[in-house]
Amino acid sequence: MALVGSWPPLLRQRLVSECAEWSSGEMQQLIIAVEQHLTITYFENDNSIDAATHQAVKFLAIISEANDQSKAVSYSNFYLDILNSEDFDVKRDYVNWKRPGLLTDSDFSFCQYPFVYDPATKSDILAFENTGEMREQFHHAIFDSFIRGGACPYLVLRVRRSPYLVNDTLLQIQNASANNTLKRPLKVHFIGEQGVDEGGVQKEFFQLLMRDMFDPDYGMFKLDEDTRMYWFRASKIDMSMEFELVGTMIGLAIYNSHLLEFSFPMLTYRKLMGHKPTLGDLMDVHPTIHRSLQKLLTQDNVAQLGLVFQVEQEADFGEGLETIDLEAEGANMPVTDDNKQRYVDLYVRHLLETSIQRQFDAFQRGFKRLCGGPALKLFRPEELEKLICGGQNLDFLALEQHTRYDDGFTAHSQAVEWFWSVVHGLQPEQQKQLLFFVTGSDRVPIKGLASLTPPFTISRAGPHSDRLPTAHTCFNHLLLPDYQVSPHAVLVCTCWLGSITAVCCCFAAAQVLQVYDQDMLC
């Protein structure tokens, strides 16, 4: 293993090609063997890194590279449990990566081999990087306030609600960018409204802003009815500032640890990470066109179809369709069996690159304004999606195990036990509604529900009554009356959960339904 880890590039690449031919079973057996070797070596050396460990990780990198080609097993099979546990000092490893030799004599860091870290650990590494930058910006602002006076250590966005929300945000983000204050801790204030931003106002702000900017009527993105995903709208209208704002706000959400509610195809994250689009990527963006092009490649005598190197696409609003040349003089170039592959390649490039180049470049520029550091490069596209939009695992058992209790409640209080019995019997969609009710978002953090920040807390909201539960979304805090009769509790909880769908449509409905108290809207 040590010999293989030190092979020259040419021999190394040959081994990668050989490994890419292995079956999934062979690949999995080798991964398990190397991981066991790494774990045993790590423990035998008192949790320190030696040359053998380094060479073993290098060998595992060869296998990972081969698997990226063959897709024999899931990339998650390469996550090393020992490195993704609470016992491993990932912050120390991050420091070794950023400042080699500061803490140890070795310049080795597992961050050099990011496939061994799971998304949760990578999010911790990104948090180390972001927190350091944010602390530095905060301290600079405090220092400036002493020298010049009046400087605010926060990035404060004072905005009005729709239809002014997008323009208000755009102007203030441009100003913050010019003043180099984007990386300060974020605070949001809705003009004319009371409330201190302890996190809940930011959640609502991001939800409303993304809802406005992804509205198809706004003209920036279009929603595919089959995939229910958004893609950039090809347009001659220059909306570079707006697309840059979307990218900046996604970066700002990551920077301030907020999850966002939208659905991009995986290609968006692949492009952000520098990957080149392929025909396979078209499946998530234009599935109907993808199927047609796949069929074209397997068909003979395509000349009889009468295709030429031109395509039609939607023009701007009210202008119908426009014809685009895939090649110069494309109207005079028929598609034949000999050039059909080039036709497909150019069609894919047009749909996924050239037609939306200006829009995506602006979007990427805004995103990298806040997320251009080394830590983000540790993520795979699939992991980046989880970082931005959260996971899908609604593990309410884990949430129950990590819930805190207050004001007289314990995990064994009768009302609490009834509450969890109702929750665990809900359908996944109802559980998402409950999550929205308590936290202001139905997205699962990248580390799972057990990692909610602040931790989920259930407090006793007075004695037995007909009142419904209420919540402080800023603090992930549920106020539950101390119901004393089981059928009553189940009935009330069921009615309460049944009203969540209506409440989720708009925070303003809270006052009408009298489900939330005023404190919840903080």
Side-chain angles (χ1 to χ4, degrees):
M1 191 176 298
L3 177 64
V4 172
S6 59
W7 275 5
L10 186 60
L11 289 177
R12 184 184 185 281
Q13 192 56 48
R14 186 174 297 176
L15 179 58
V16 168
S17 299
E18 290 290 335
C19 293
E21 300 295 326
W22 294 348
S23 68
S24 59
E26 293 171 328
M27 185 80 75
Q28 186 61 51
Q29 286 180 356
L30 186 57
I31 293 171
I32 292 173
V34 176
E35 289 184 351
Q36 288 177 343
H37 170 77
L38 277 168
T39 302
I40 293 171
T41 304
Y42 185 72
F43 278 122
E44 286 180 347
N45 287 282
D46 295 325
N47 298 349
S48 62
I49 309 299
D50 62 2
T53 302
H54 193 174
Q55 294 301 324
V57 176
K58 281 186 175 181
F59 182 58
L60 196 60
I62 292 175
I63 305 173
S64 175
E65 187 176 340
N67 187 65
D68 286 340
Q69 296 179 13
S70 66
K71 304 295 189 295
V73 298
S74 170
Y75 60 86
S76 63
N77 287 28
F78 290 87
Y79 298 155
L80 297 182
D81 292 341
I82 186 63
L83 304 181
N84 296 292
S85 68
E86 295 181 357
D87 297 327
F88 180 72
D89 191 349
V90 67
K91 189 170 186 178
R92 182 182 179 88
D93 190 60
Y94 167 74
V95 173
N96 286 340
W97 179 49
K98 295 289 287 186
R99 303 181 66 180
L102 180 66
L103 300 179
T104 65
D105 295 333
S106 171
D107 61 356
F108 173 82
S109 168
F110 286 106
C111 292
Q112 298 164 339
Y113 306 92
F115 58 86
V116 301
Y117 282 138
D118 64 21
T121 302
K122 290 177 182 177
S123 71
D124 285 337
I125 295 171
L126 183 64
F128 298 148
E129 183 174 87
N130 289 346
T131 302
E133 292 180 351
M134 192 177 292
R135 185 184 298 114
E136 183 178 351
Q137 288 280 328
F138 187 85
H139 289 163
H140 283 170
I142 294 293
F143 180 76
D144 287 344
S145 68
F146 284 119
I147 302 300
R148 301 184 182 92
C152 177
Y154 295 96
L155 168 62
V156 182
L157 299 181
R158 295 180 175 85
V159 296
R160 296 168 292 176
R161 294 179 180 269
S162 297
Y164 311 104
L165 183 59
V166 173
N167 285 336
D168 285 359
T169 304
L170 178 60
L171 290 174
Q172 293 181 67
I173 289 296
Q174 288 177 329
N175 183 59
S177 179
N179 294 326
N180 196 30
T181 58
L182 279 177
K183 292 188 175 182
R184 294 180 182 178
L186 177 65
K187 295 290 183 181
V188 176
H189 174 67
F190 284 105
I191 295 173
E193 300 181 22
Q194 295 181 349
V196 177
D197 186 7
E198 296 292 343
V201 177
Q202 291 179 44
K203 287 181 186 178
E204 184 184 5
F205 164 72
F206 280 114
Q207 289 166 358
L208 296 177
L209 181 66
M210 290 299 160
R211 188 181 306 162
D212 282 356
M213 302 201 79
F214 279 83
D215 188 331
D217 292 338
Y218 201 77
M220 296 177 64
F221 300 95
K222 57 182 179 181
L223 179 66
D224 187 277
E225 294 298 333
D226 294 330
T227 64
R228 305 304 300 172
M229 293 185 180
Y230 291 96
W231 186 242
F232 301 82
R233 183 186 293 276
S235 174
K236 296 177 182 177
I237 300 174
D238 188 359
M239 300 185 71
S240 296
M241 289 193 301
E242 287 81 358
F243 280 105
E244 189 169 336
L245 174 63
V246 176
T248 301
M249 297 313 297
I250 293 175
L252 196 65
I254 294 175
Y255 200 73
N256 289 273
S257 303
H258 288 287
L259 299 176
L260 299 178
E261 299 179 16
F262 56 76
S263 297
F264 270 142
M266 187 56 61
L267 175 61
T268 307
Y269 307 101
R270 286 173 53 81
K271 284 171 69 72
L272 283 173
M273 302 302 289
H275 294 259
K276 199 75 171 173
T278 65
L279 176 59
D281 293 314
L282 192 62
M283 182 62 190
D284 289 336
V285 181
H286 300 290
T288 302
I289 297 177
H290 174 266
R291 288 191 292 269
S292 298
L293 293 181
Q294 286 276 41
K295 184 177 180 181
L296 179 68
L297 290 175
T298 60
Q299 190 171 340
D300 295 325
N301 301 318
V302 298
Q304 65 185 4
L305 298 176
L307 296 174
V308 295
F309 275 70
Q310 285 184 325
V311 294
E312 290 185 337
Q313 71 176 23
E314 292 182 9
D316 293 321
F317 294 107
E319 297 183 10
L321 298 175
E322 63 177 330
T323 301
I324 305 295
D325 283 335
L326 298 178
E327 291 265 36
E329 302 295 330
N332 300 320
M333 296 179 61
V335 179
T336 66
D337 289 346
D338 293 331
N339 63 17
K340 63 183 179 182
Q341 182 65 60
R342 178 162 178 77
Y343 171 79
V344 169
D345 291 343
L346 291 175
Y347 200 170
V348 170
R349 184 189 302 173
H350 166 73
L351 289 173
L352 304 183
E353 294 187 78
T354 55
S355 67
I356 51 99
Q357 191 71 53
R358 184 177 66 246
Q359 294 89 330
F360 186 83
D361 283 350
F363 169 79
Q364 186 176 46
R365 185 165 59 249
F367 179 77
K368 290 193 173 181
R369 184 176 290 164
L370 283 131
C371 294
L376 194 75
K377 295 181 175 62
L378 302 179
F379 289 80
R380 298 177 61 93
E382 300 87 350
E383 296 168 338
L384 180 59
E385 181 187 31
K386 288 184 179 180
L387 177 70
I388 295 173
C389 299
Q392 302 294 324
N393 185 20
L394 292 167
D395 189 353
F396 274 81
L397 285 174
L399 180 64
E400 180 180 4
Q401 292 169 1
H402 289 81
T403 295
R404 297 180 180 179
Y405 300 94
D406 202 359
D407 295 330
F409 269 164
T410 70
H412 304 292
S413 298
Q414 187 65 74
V416 170
E417 292 182 347
W418 285 333
F419 168 77
W420 286 116
S421 70
V422 171
V423 169
H424 293 312
L426 296 175
Q427 297 299 314
E429 191 59 34
Q430 293 174 309
Q431 290 181 332
K432 290 179 69 175
Q433 293 169 359
L434 168 62
L435 189 61
F436 186 97
F437 179 83
V438 175
T439 69
S441 173
D442 63 2
R443 300 302 171 116
V444 179
I446 195 169
K447 298 181 183 179
L449 290 178
S451 67
L452 282 178
T453 305
F456 181 47
T457 301
I458 300 178
S459 291
R460 183 178 183 273
H464 173 83
S465 72
D466 293 332
R467 291 182 60 222
L468 300 178
T470 55
H472 301 285
T473 58
C474 293
F475 307 104
N476 302 329
H477 196 160
L478 179 68
L479 305 178
L480 185 70
D482 191 6
Y483 301 122
Q484 296 298 311
V485 183
S486 177
H488 177 87
V490 173
L491 177 62
V492 170
C493 284
T494 303
C495 293
W496 160 58
L497 289 167
S499 69
I500 287 177
T501 301
V503 174
C504 287
C505 295
C506 179
F507 281 110
Q511 294 179 349
V512 177
L513 296 173
Q514 296 182 345
V515 175
Y516 301 74
D517 61 6
Q518 186 62 35
D519 289 339
M520 184 205 164
L521 300 177
C522 61

